[in-house]
């Protein structure tokens, strides 16, 4: 078993009066894909957005409990969200490239963090990120065309390239394939297989098959509770909780 | 088959209802278009003649003023201004009709010219210092009444007592026409001169400059403040009672009648701060108050239309909130926001009521050269001239409206072009 990368301990999340997550405690290992499944509105997206503090944008959102990455409490006062998000990248449900060129989409992160010292280094980072996201060959001749002109699957891989351009440790994926067709989905799944060698991946998915295919560990969320978390084989073959059993067999959700 | 059955009553009814609806729509559109067309033709047909002026060439001999005509070349403009050539000019003008000898009748000859004929002769001297001959042909501006008579706007068939031109003057005109001595030329001074009591000399130069300075002041004040306020309110301000209150007030401000802003300018800018009356500076500040809410509302709407996923994308790679907004959100919102700004500026350009209250309605002869000189503006000039009785001001009013409409069309076209060209394509 790989070393533990992310530890969450008794995480409670409130949107105003409403509590969205109840005492979620789970660990995520480095260089593994951890999948979060559950019916709509169960809190899995809320949970994943706590890991890079994207919930900070919502005024009414309040997070309790501790989340540590490599032993550092990311909700401590000293944490800078900008630095945190540099190390914890995110890919969203709907592909959201900037309405700029493919090159600029990938170069933006390195530019604002001052990672590249000159144009050549930046070019190299862009090329490597696109290669790692398995899209370089498709776009190498049109790096300066708008990223929004690509197909949905290509856009999503471009967003993955953008996420890895700042050299993060962790990539969070919030239903990255829900807007894609099966072929594009298959490509992203292959890509995850490659990426987990270098990154820790946490993926939220609606598709149980996808969770079964790509993840090492799976957590099942229901009504804001983490019902069960275990090795993926165990969750899908021999879950210990009745609700998990019902969900994976399609009795609700 | 059933779908070829055209005798279906219900279907017939639905189709004829659709047809009637289309007819109503086309009627409404035709009515609106016809109205605009009527407005434009009526303005154009009364206004276009203002772009031409009537000139009468006369022979002027200046040999008695100076020893020899070459000496003009040595004189400065000031020295030419100081020459007293009034009576000489008069004599030369009387020579146009040598058989008129009566003193009273001679005076009538003068009245077919603009009263500034002496200045016009001096301007000719200044412009042609090097080649003044013993006898020079100089084109003098005809008086407003002759100008209007020549343009066909002056009814000749009413009794002499009710006419501004006497029978004698009409006979002068007819004689000049026979001798081919009445000419029209493009009315260039109309665009460069300030206002005047004499329609043939009045121009919109002063109003153009006043409007220009006013708009510059409006731009300098309302664009940066409007954009910053909108960006702060939309992107950074917390959602609470206080920001709601500000938002409601900005929306209310946009609906306040413009004359109220004029009162505000009068009460605060002129009376409390003692800023100079009748100036483009005060006009601009007052109009900025009016334009500001328009720009804020348009910019906020443009910012709101930017998909939140763009903000999230930027934040997720570690951009600060300001970077996300300035690098990604604002560029996408810019065309919409600038369109709003231009429409606000166009409103300010056509606004009259507030300017009346802060004294920009004054009669200003000099063309303003700075924003703190007394000046008029285009819409106020229209208001001023529309009140004047002389026929010459009627065509000048319409011509000014044409200029203002032209500027507004240019501004609105710019807005359309900006939107087309810089709109983000998704």
């Amino acid at each position: 078993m790989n070393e533990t990368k992310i530890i969450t301990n008794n995480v409670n999340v409130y949107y105003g009066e409403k509590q969205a997550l109840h005492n979620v405690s789970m660990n995520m290992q480095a260089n593994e894909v951890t999948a979060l499944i559950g019916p709509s509105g169960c809190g899995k997206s809320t949970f994943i957005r706590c890991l890079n503090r994207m919930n900070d944008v919502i005024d009414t959102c309040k997070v309790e409990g501790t989340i540590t990455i490599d032993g550092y409490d990311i909700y401590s006062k000293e944490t800078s969200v900008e630095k945190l998000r540099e190390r914890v990248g995110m890919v969203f449900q709907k592909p959201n490239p900037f309405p700029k060129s493919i090159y600029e989409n990938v170069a933006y992160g390195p530019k604002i963090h001052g990672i590249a010292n000159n144009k050549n280094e930046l070019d190299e980072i862009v090329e490597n990120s696109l290669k790692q996201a398995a899209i370089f060959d498709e776009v190498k001749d049109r790096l300066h065309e708008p990223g929004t002109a690509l197909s949905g699957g290509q856009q999503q891989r471009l967003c993955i390239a953008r996420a890895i351009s700042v050299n993060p440790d962790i990539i969070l994926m919030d239903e990255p394939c829900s807007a894609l067709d099966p072929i594009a989905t298959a490509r992203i799944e292959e890509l995850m297989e490659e990426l987990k060698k270098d990154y820790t991946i946490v993926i939220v998915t609606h598709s149980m098959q996808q969770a079964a295919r790509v993840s090492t560990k799976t957590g099942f969320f229901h009504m804001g509770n983490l019902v069960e978390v275990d090795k993926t084989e165990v969750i899908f073959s021999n879950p210990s909780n009745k609700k998990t059993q019902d969900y994976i067999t399609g009795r609700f959700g | 088959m059933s779908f070829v059955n055209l005798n279906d009553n219900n279907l017939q009814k639905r189709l004829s209802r659709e047809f009637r609806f289309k007819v109503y729509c086309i009627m409404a559109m035709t009515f609106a278009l016809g109205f605009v067309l009527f407005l434009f033709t009526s303005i154009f047909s009364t206004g276009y003649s203002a772009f031409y002026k009537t000139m009468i060439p006369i022979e002027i001999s200046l040999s008695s003023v100076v020893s020899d005509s070459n000496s003009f070349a040595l004189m400065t403009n000031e020295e030419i201004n100081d020459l007293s050539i009034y009576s000489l000019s008069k004599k030369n003008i009387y020579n146009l009709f040598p058989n008129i000898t009566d003193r009273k009748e001679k005076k009538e000859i003068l009245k077919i010219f603009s009263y500034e004929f002496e200045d016009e002769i001096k301007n000719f001297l200044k412009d042609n210092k090097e080649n003044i001959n013993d006898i020079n042909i100089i084109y003098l501006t005809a008086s407003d009444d002759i100008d209007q008579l020549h343009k066909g706007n002056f009814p000749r068939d009413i009794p002499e007592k009710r006419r501004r031109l006497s029978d004698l003057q009409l006979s002068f005109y007819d004689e000049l026409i026979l001798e081919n001595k009445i000419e029209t030329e493009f009315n260039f001074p109309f665009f460069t001169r300030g206002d005047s009591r004499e329609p043939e000399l009045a121009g919109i130069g002063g109003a153009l400059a006043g409007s220009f300075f006013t708009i510059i002041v409006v731009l300098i004040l309302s664009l940066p403040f409007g954009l910053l306020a909108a960006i702060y309110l939309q992107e950074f301000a917390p959602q609470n009672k206080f920001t709601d209150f500000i938002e409601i007030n900005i929306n209310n401000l946009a609906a306040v009648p413009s004359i109220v802003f004029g009162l505000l300018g009068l009460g605060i800018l002129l009376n409390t701060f003692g800023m100079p009356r009748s100036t483009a500076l005060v006009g601009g500040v007052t109009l900025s108050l009016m334009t500001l809410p328009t720009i804020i509302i348009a910019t906020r709407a443009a910012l709101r239309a930017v998909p939140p996923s763009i903000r999230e994308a930027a934040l997720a790679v570690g951009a600060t909130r300001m970077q996300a907004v300035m690098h990604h959100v604002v560029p996408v919102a810019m065309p919409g926001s600038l369109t709003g700004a231009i429409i606000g500026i166009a409103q300010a350009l056509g606004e009259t009521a507030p300017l009346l209250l802060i004294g920009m309605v004054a009669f200003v002869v000099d063309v303003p050269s700075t924003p703190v000189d007394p000046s008029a503006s285009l819409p106020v000039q229209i208001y001023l001239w529309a009140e004047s009785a002389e026929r010459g001001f009627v065509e000048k009013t319409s011509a000014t409206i044409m200029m203002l409409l032209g500027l507004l069309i240019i501004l609105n076209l710019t807005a359309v072009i900006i939107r087309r060209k810089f709109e983000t394509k998704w």
Side-chain angles (χ1 to χ4, degrees):
Chain A
M1 197 163 182
N2 293 318
E3 59 172 310
T4 305
K5 190 81 181 169
I6 309 170
I7 302 171
T8 74
N9 193 12
N10 284 326
V11 172
N12 287 295
V13 178
Y14 304 87
Y15 292 119
E17 296 294 302
K18 194 176 153 276
Q19 188 167 4
L21 282 182
H22 302 265
N23 293 318
V24 176
S25 301
M26 76 182 283
N27 301 343
M28 282 152 262
Q29 268 67 38
N31 302 105
E32 267 181 21
V33 176
T34 305
L36 308 175
I37 58 168
S40 299
C42 67
K44 53 193 192 306
S45 285
T46 300
F47 178 68
I48 202 177
R49 291 166 70 94
C50 289
L51 303 181
N52 67 344
R53 290 185 57 175
M54 279 304 278
N55 283 336
D56 288 17
V57 191
I58 302 160
D59 283 338
T60 56
C61 181
K62 198 175 85 198
V63 178
E64 281 173 5
T66 53
I67 299 174
T68 61
I69 293 175
D70 290 336
Y72 294 102
D73 180 1
I74 63 165
Y75 276 89
S76 70
K77 280 210 178 83
E78 298 81 49
T79 309
S80 113
V81 280
E82 289 79 23
K83 283 281 162 202
L84 170 70
R85 289 174 191 153
E86 188 186 342
R87 293 201 41 209
V88 186
M90 190 163 196
V91 177
F92 295 86
Q93 182 170 0
K94 212 177 135 237
N96 59 352
F98 300 129
K100 300 187 176 191
S101 74
I102 294 169
Y103 182 91
E104 279 175 88
N105 261 285
V106 184
Y108 182 67
K111 261 191 207 159
I112 57 173
H113 292 293
I115 292 171
N117 293 316
N118 53 46
K119 181 85 172 67
N120 287 342
E121 270 182 50
L122 191 61
D123 289 349
E124 208 172 303
I125 292 174
V126 171
E127 189 179 327
N128 284 337
S129 307
L130 288 170
K131 274 182 180 156
Q132 269 197 293
I135 190 180
F136 184 70
D137 290 334
E138 292 160 61
V139 299
K140 63 183 172 200
D141 301 324
R142 43 174 176 153
L143 285 178
H144 296 283
E145 282 172 34
T148 42
L150 297 172
S151 74
Q154 288 174 326
Q155 286 189 15
Q156 197 62 298
R157 276 179 282 143
L158 176 62
C159 292
I160 294 174
R162 181 175 66 195
I164 58 189
S165 66
V166 290
N167 197 23
D169 294 347
I170 301 166
I171 302 174
L172 309 175
M173 297 186 172
D174 189 357
E175 296 179 36
C177 301
S178 62
L180 305 183
D181 65 55
I183 296 168
T185 303
R187 298 210 54 171
I188 303 264
E189 287 177 10
E190 276 167 37
L191 181 58
M192 273 189 257
E193 206 57 39
E194 277 299 308
L195 290 175
K196 75 175 182 190
K197 290 174 192 156
D198 300 315
Y199 307 98
T200 304
I201 298 177
V202 184
I203 175 174
V204 164
T205 177
H206 257 123
S207 151
M208 281 174 279
Q209 292 87 337
Q210 184 171 51
R213 281 193 299 265
V214 298
S215 67
T216 316
K217 195 157 107 176
T218 299
F220 170 61
F221 280 78
H222 185 238
M223 311 267 286
N225 292 295
L226 177 61
V227 177
E228 187 173 356
V229 55
D230 211 325
K231 282 199 171 352
T232 303
E233 311 88 89
V234 180
I235 290 281
F236 284 101
S237 56
N238 189 17
S240 49
N241 192 295
K242 174 85 171 48
K243 269 188 198 144
T244 319
Q245 174 80 43
D246 289 349
Y247 183 69
I248 60 167
T249 52
R251 237 166 271 168
F252 81 94
Chain B
M1 275 192 294
S2 64
F3 60 76
V4 291
N5 181 9
L6 290 178
N7 296 327
D8 181 338
N9 249 339
N10 180 29
L11 179 68
Q12 286 295 348
K13 246 189 220 162
R14 277 154 59 202
L15 287 179
S16 61
R17 209 175 287 158
E18 179 173 328
F19 177 77
R20 282 202 305 276
F21 181 71
K22 262 190 210 161
V23 170
Y24 297 148
C25 291
I26 290 170
M27 270 162 59
M29 199 182 65
T30 321
F31 180 72
L33 267 181
F35 202 73
V36 170
L37 210 65
F38 171 73
L39 183 80
F40 272 53
T41 36
S42 99
I43 288 172
F44 188 80
S45 59
T46 36
Y48 81 98
S49 53
F51 296 115
Y52 293 93
K53 62 189 286 197
T54 309
M55 308 292 279
I56 302 169
I58 63 161
E59 288 174 3
I60 296 217
S61 139
L62 296 150
S63 42
S64 64
V65 181
V66 281
S67 48
D68 120 59
S69 52
N70 287 333
S71 59
F72 283 113
L74 303 169
M75 294 173 86
T76 63
N77 283 351
E78 284 71 34
E79 284 171 322
I80 294 179
N81 276 343
D82 289 342
L83 287 177
S84 51
I85 55 168
Y86 183 70
S87 42
L88 179 75
S89 310
K90 269 202 313 200
K91 258 179 221 155
N92 279 299
I93 288 173
Y94 295 153
N95 286 341
L96 204 54
F97 302 102
N99 44 350
I100 301 286
T101 47
D102 180 66
R103 241 189 88 236
K104 264 191 177 170
E105 289 183 348
K106 276 183 171 177
K107 288 256 183 249
E108 302 252 311
I109 304 179
L110 276 190
K111 282 190 185 154
I112 68 171
F113 292 96
S114 147
Y115 80 105
E116 276 191 1
F117 59 84
E118 191 192 354
D119 291 339
E120 288 186 321
I121 293 170
K122 281 179 179 171
N123 285 337
F124 175 85
L125 292 179
K126 285 183 229 164
D127 295 342
N128 302 285
K129 276 182 204 171
E130 312 294 326
N131 9 306
I132 302 290
N133 305 316
D134 287 343
I135 290 174
N136 305 279
I137 307 275
I138 300 183
Y139 283 83
L140 294 182
T141 305
S143 75
D144 173 47
D145 295 323
I146 292 292
D147 185 41
Q148 292 305 316
L149 176 66
H150 190 61
K151 286 170 179 168
N153 296 332
F154 193 95
R156 297 179 66 136
D157 48 2
I158 51 178
E160 185 178 11
K161 272 190 181 167
R162 287 170 50 199
R163 265 192 260 127
R164 287 170 59 95
L165 285 172
S166 62
D167 284 340
L168 188 61
Q169 285 169 329
L170 287 179
S171 72
F172 292 153
Y173 171 78
D174 293 337
E175 199 171 317
L176 288 172
I177 285 282
L178 280 180
E179 291 170 27
N180 242 344
K181 276 190 173 168
I182 298 242
E183 295 181 24
T184 51
E185 64 172 46
F186 184 67
N187 194 353
F188 194 66
F190 178 64
F191 297 96
T192 54
R193 295 191 61 138
D195 199 1
S196 168
R197 292 283 178 227
E198 311 299 321
E200 74 274 13
L201 298 174
I204 55 168
L208 272 176
S211 274
F212 174 76
F213 288 128
T214 311
I215 292 306
I216 293 293
V217 174
V218 171
L219 268 178
I220 290 173
L221 285 179
S222 61
L223 202 58
F225 285 122
L227 292 183
L228 288 178
I231 290 172
Y232 178 75
L233 283 174
Q234 191 62 34
E235 300 291 332
F236 295 102
Q239 282 278 315
N240 56 30
K241 289 241 168 69
F242 183 64
T243 45
D244 283 351
F245 177 73
I246 291 179
E247 176 159 8
I248 290 170
N249 275 294
I250 287 173
N251 290 340
N252 283 342
L253 216 54
V256 168
S258 58
I259 196 145
V260 177
F261 289 105
L263 278 172
L264 191 75
L266 174 67
I268 293 183
L269 299 176
L270 295 184
N271 294 346
T272 309
F273 294 132
M275 289 167 87
R277 193 171 288 270
S278 308
T279 58
L281 177 67
V282 178
V285 176
T286 310
L287 292 179
S288 296
L289 294 174
M290 237 188 66
T291 315
L292 209 52
T294 313
I295 293 182
I296 293 178
I297 291 169
T299 306
R300 288 193 67 176
L303 288 171
R304 210 177 298 132
V306 178
S309 62
I310 294 300
R311 294 177 187 84
E312 287 193 325
L315 292 176
V317 289
T320 60
R321 246 166 117 166
M322 195 187 109
Q323 284 174 325
V325 169
M326 296 313 281
H327 295 166
H328 300 288
V329 180
V330 170
V332 174
M334 222 5 121
S337 147
L338 282 186
T339 307
I342 289 174
I343 288 168
I345 299 285
Q347 262 174 18
L349 183 64
E351 197 54 69
T352 327
L355 302 183
L356 300 182
L357 283 173
I358 56 132
M360 274 183 90
V361 69
F363 172 72
V364 183
V365 177
D366 297 319
V367 175
S369 50
T370 68
V372 287
D373 292 336
S375 63
S377 74
L378 282 173
V380 175
Q381 192 68 72
I382 293 170
Y383 169 77
L384 281 171
W385 284 346
E387 283 193 321
S388 306
E390 287 92 339
R391 185 63 184 75
F393 281 126
V394 175
E395 62 170 24
K396 292 225 150 49
T397 308
S398 292
T400 314
I401 295 172
M402 279 158 73
M403 288 296 295
L404 185 59
L405 283 178
L407 287 177
L408 292 177
I409 289 171
I410 289 172
L411 277 177
N412 286 328
L413 270 182
T414 320
V416 171
I417 290 169
I418 286 182
R419 204 165 36 205
R420 288 261 171 85
K421 190 153 183 207
F422 296 105
E423 208 166 40
T424 311
K425 286 162 194 84
W426 296 95

